[in-house]
Amino acid sequence: METIMTQKPTIVCIHGIARTQLSMWRIMLESWQNNYNVIGWKYPSTRASSAENVELLATFLQKRFGNTAEPIHFITHSLGGFILAQYLARPDAIPVGRVVMIAPPLGGSAVIDEGIKWKVFTDFYGPVTEELLTAETASSDPAPHPHIAVIAGSKSQWPFSQLFFDEPNDGKVSVRSTKHIPAKEHLVLDYNHTEIIYRKEVIDRALHFIKYGTLV
């Protein structure tokens, strides 16, 4: 089979729950301005389980990059990191370059712990809610990929979110939850869960990691 070669490296951006690839517009724009091929992957975040979304991701990546020689980079937000982490553990994963996960709920979310008690909440967010309940201890599993960086937020999003947390958090995900993966680098910045993907400091650090393998 013919091998596809590109002149520019590729970054795949994966959005969070109840969002679309349009929510990643600023990261995608600045990646493009920094001479990357950029692809935003859209998936049914509120209608499918994480296992189903991992299968969709695997199919998409194999179809799009199965014959590509060079590694593909990733920048994710929220649930996107949760999905990608599971994909990276698969033996059939495509060659992956560097990965930046922004505010990933790898150990679940205290907001989900409360919200799952309400049918209107689970009806809206779908089957993935049961998979995002908080875990008590950090994962001891080996890193699914050696070049992962995590950027977490520590600014609470709304005053009432503090009712759900007793530790540093971004209003939806605790800093501790983002550490449930053996990342190469982990950085905490004072942004909330929604704004963090639009802040220039975050985007600059993410692209710095993609290019140089370090957040700073």
Side-chain angles (χ1 to χ4, degrees), residues 16-43:
I17 194 167
R19 309 296 290 274
T20 72
Q21 70 271 40
L22 296 179
S23 68
M24 304 288 282
W25 71 266
R26 184 167 184 181
I27 291 174
M28 295 173 66
L29 175 62
E30 296 204 21
S31 297
W32 177 78
Q33 291 174 337
N34 279 273
N35 206 36
Y36 289 96
N37 291 313
V38 187
I39 296 173
W41 180 62
K42 182 181 178 180
Y43 64 103

Side-chain angles (χ1 to χ4, degrees), residues 69-189:
E70 62 269 30
I72 306 302
H73 307 294
F74 291 84
I75 299 178
T76 70
H77 178 229
S78 191
L79 181 63
F82 187 84
I83 300 298
L84 182 61
Q86 295 177 58
Y87 171 75
L88 293 176
R90 291 170 59 116
D92 62 343
I94 64 168
V96 174
R98 292 172 178 146
V99 175
V100 179
M101 297 180 179
I102 302 173
L106 301 172
S109 169
V111 175
I112 299 293
D113 290 347
E114 178 62 27
I116 203 169
K117 303 172 185 177
W118 305 89
K119 186 176 185 300
V120 65
F121 183 92
T122 56
D123 284 349
F124 180 80
Y125 286 105
V128 75
T129 53
E130 294 187 3
E131 303 172 87
L132 291 177
L133 298 172
T134 55
E136 294 300 322
T137 58
S139 171
S140 60
D141 295 336
H145 184 65
H147 302 293
I148 296 175
V150 174
I151 301 177
S154 61
K155 180 180 178 182
S156 182
Q157 193 158 6
W158 306 288
F160 70 81
S161 66
Q162 292 307 310
L163 298 174
F164 309 133
F165 296 96
D166 58 1
E167 58 185 320
N169 66 88
D170 65 9
K172 292 186 178 179
V173 177
S174 71
V175 171
R176 179 166 58 93
S177 179
T178 68
K179 294 181 177 181
H180 282 231
I181 199 168
K184 181 180 179 182
E185 293 188 26
H186 188 279
L187 179 67
V188 181
L189 298 174

